[in-house]
């Protein structure tokens, strides 16, 4: 069974309003039965207001690895991450990591 081993906030930028945010995370995901074993993925949590502001500046937003939420709530975020991870709990580890890469950016060693 895959679990979140660590969820680390790497960067956050808040606008003047509570519904204007851009936060980047790293999430370590690995098998529950093996201590320390995990693969690192990353994603951005962004509000619709911030997304709109970024698009107005002419930025091109690529959807892979972006989670969009109107309100920032860490409990809701963790529940969503666990729901995604649990979709692939029966897959072999390599297939599971590949499938998780459809939601997250996988941080591979160079």
């Amino acid at each position: 069974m895959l679990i979140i081993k660590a969820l680390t906030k790497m960067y956050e930028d808040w606008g003047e309003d509570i519904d204007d945010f851009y936060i980047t995370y790293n999430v370590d995901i690995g098998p529950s039965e093996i201590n320390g074993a995990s693969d690192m993925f990353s994603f951005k949590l962004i509000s619709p207001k911030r997304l709109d502001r970024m698009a107005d500046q002419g930025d091109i937003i690529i959807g892979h690895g972006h989670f969009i939420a109107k309100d920032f709530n860490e409990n809701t975020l963790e529940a969503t991450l666990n729901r995604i991870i649990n979709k692939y709990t029966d897959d072999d580890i390599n297939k599971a990591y590949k499938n998780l890469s459809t939601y997250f950016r996988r941080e591979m060693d160079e």
Side-chain angles (χ1 to χ4, degrees):
M1 178 174 168
L2 292 176
I3 61 168
I4 295 173
K5 300 224 174 173
L7 179 61
T8 308
K9 193 182 301 181
M10 302 303 294
Y11 172 80
E12 60 184 307
D13 182 32
W14 291 84
E16 293 181 16
D17 299 320
I18 195 164
D19 62 346
D20 181 7
F21 55 87
Y22 178 88
I23 306 168
T24 62
Y25 285 92
N26 283 346
V27 58
D28 292 303
I29 301 170
S32 60
E33 58 276 2
I34 303 174
N35 287 336
S38 66
D39 272 35
M40 183 183 300
F41 297 85
S42 64
F43 66 95
K44 295 176 171 110
L45 181 66
I46 187 167
S47 67
K49 184 178 274 189
R50 178 61 60 95
L51 188 62
D52 187 50
R53 280 190 25 218
M54 290 171 67
D56 281 348
Q57 295 172 359
D59 291 348
I60 295 174
I61 313 301
I62 298 172
H64 181 77
H66 287 79
F67 290 55
I68 302 168
K70 185 174 180 178
D71 299 311
F72 175 74
N73 182 312
E74 285 189 344
N75 292 331
T76 302
L77 175 61
E78 286 192 45
T80 301
L81 297 177
N82 282 316
R83 195 168 48 250
I84 291 168
I85 293 165
N86 288 336
K87 285 182 176 183
Y88 305 111
T89 195
D90 292 332
D91 292 346
D92 73 64
I93 194 80
N94 291 323
K95 185 176 178 185
Y97 285 151
K98 180 181 177 191
N99 287 330
L100 288 171
S101 293
T102 62
Y103 295 92
F104 309 104
R105 285 183 299 281
R106 190 168 182 187
E107 302 296 317
M108 304 294 281
D109 292 334
E110 300 292 323

